[in-house]
């Protein structure tokens, strides 16, 4: 796993946390929930390539 990938995920988490706090303080709790959900989806999209590599490694290792 690359250090850049970890930093990307941490950066997304930091931005989502700050945005969530700002929206919660402004009384927009519904939008803060959507922001959190968007952050989770964005992290999953970033991880898609790594998940694909893991699946291909497992299938090639076990000869499936």
């Amino acid at each position: 796993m690359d250090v850049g990938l970890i930093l990307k995920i941490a950066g997304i988490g930091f931005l989502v946390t700050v945005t969530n706090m700002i929206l919660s303080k402004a009384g927009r709790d519904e939008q803060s929930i959507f922001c959190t959900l968007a952050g989770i989806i964005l992290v999953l999209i970033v991880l898609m390539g790594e998940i694909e590599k893991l699946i291909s490694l497992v299938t090639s290792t076990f000869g499936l």
Side-chain angles (χ1 to χ4, degrees), residues 11-27:
I12 292 170
F14 179 72
L15 288 174
V16 167
T17 302
V18 169
T19 308
N20 195 359
M21 288 174 53
I22 291 171
L23 288 172
S24 292
K25 295 284 183 177

Side-chain angles (χ1 to χ4, degrees), residues 2 8 10 21 23 25 31-32 39 42 48 53-54 61:
D2 191 20
K8 283 181 189 177
M21 288 174 53
L23 288 172
K25 295 284 183 177
Q31 290 177 349
S32 112
L42 190 60
M48 285 286 241
K53 289 179 189 175
L54 175 67
T61 301

Side-chain angles (χ1 to χ4, degrees), residues 1 4-5 7-11 14 16 22-24 29-30 41-42 45 52 59 62:
M1 184 158 49
L5 181 66
L7 292 176
K8 283 181 189 177
I9 293 171
F14 179 72
V16 167
I22 291 171
L23 288 172
S24 292
D29 293 326
E30 296 86 13
I41 291 170
L42 190 60
I45 290 171
E52 182 182 358
T59 55
F62 294 111

